[in-house]
């Protein structure tokens, strides 16, 4: 399966339009804003994400599958995270599929209570369906 044919679950209208705005208001302690350059346009694209802290490393996991942000991050290999007024530039390394199951388990323990998160993993149970990136080379800006 190629990256372009990998499964993707688009968020329902309410989650996309209302949920992302509400998340920024009510989940500030959990969510960061991920910005990545578009792989075609080169323009910065931003989306709210939950960063997983696990065993001294940080990860970005795409619950909805092969999302635009995950495809852009795979191509760019770097991005920017903003949280609570602080910004950091980082490089990303994609985690091999075989190393994803324990990370997904911890991700679900921490973030599965948020609307639609657990359901997306039930609909896409294969770890290969969830692009996962280790944050490396971080520098605050």
């Amino acid at each position: 399966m190629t990256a372009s044919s990998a499964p993707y679950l688009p968020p329902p209208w309410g989650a996309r339009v209302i949920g992302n705005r509400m998340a920024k208001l009510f989940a500030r302690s959990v969510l960061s804003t991920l910005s990545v350059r578009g792989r075609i346009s080169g323009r910065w694209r931003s989306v709210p994400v939950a960063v997983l802290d696990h065993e001294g490393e940080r990860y970005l996991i795409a619950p909805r599958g092969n999302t635009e942000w995950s495809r852009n991050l795979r191509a760019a290999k770097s991005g920017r995270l903003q949280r609570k007024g602080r910004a950091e530039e980082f490089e990303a390394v994609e985690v091999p599929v075989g190393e994803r199951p324990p990370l997904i388990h911890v991700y679900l323990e921490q973030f599965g209570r948020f609307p639609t998160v657990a359901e997306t993993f039930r609909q896409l149970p294969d770890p290969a369906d969830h692009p996962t990136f280790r944050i490396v080379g971080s520098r605050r800006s």
Side-chain angles (χ1 to χ4, degrees):
M1 178 184 322
T2 65
S4 61
S5 66
Y8 168 64
L9 294 174
W13 180 87
R16 190 177 64 250
V17 175
I18 299 168
N20 283 349
R21 290 181 182 139
M22 298 304 285
K24 290 178 186 178
L25 294 173
F26 295 109
R28 287 185 197 161
S29 64
V30 176
L31 295 179
S32 298
T33 299
L34 169 66
S35 299
V36 181
R37 287 198 183 270
R39 63 194 178 284
I40 297 169
S41 71
R43 290 184 289 191
W44 287 98
R45 305 291 185 185
S46 298
V47 63
V49 294
V51 178
L52 174 66
D53 286 303
H54 180 63
E55 296 184 350
E57 301 279 353
R58 293 183 306 148
Y59 300 88
L60 294 169
I61 298 177
R64 296 194 159 277
N66 197 39
T67 61
E68 287 295 324
W69 73 256
S70 67
R71 294 166 70 190
N72 287 339
L73 188 55
R74 184 178 289 126
K77 298 182 179 19
S78 65
R80 183 182 309 139
L81 283 169
Q82 290 182 283
R83 185 166 174 215
K84 296 181 180 180
R86 300 180 85 171
E88 73 176 289
E89 307 269 335
F90 69 91
E91 294 175 17
V93 175
E94 192 157 6
V95 175
V97 173
E99 296 175 23
R100 293 178 189 176
L103 297 171
I104 289 171
H105 177 76
V106 174
Y107 187 92
L108 283 168
E109 284 180 346
Q110 290 185 21
F111 307 117
R113 70 184 186 282
F114 291 104
T116 75
V117 171
E119 180 59 26
T120 61
F121 283 96
R122 280 192 289 278
Q123 290 179 33
L124 295 175
D126 187 345
D129 294 339
H130 301 280
T132 301
F133 301 89
R134 180 177 297 110
I135 296 170
V136 297
S138 174
R139 56 202 171 279
R140 303 243 182 237
S141 57

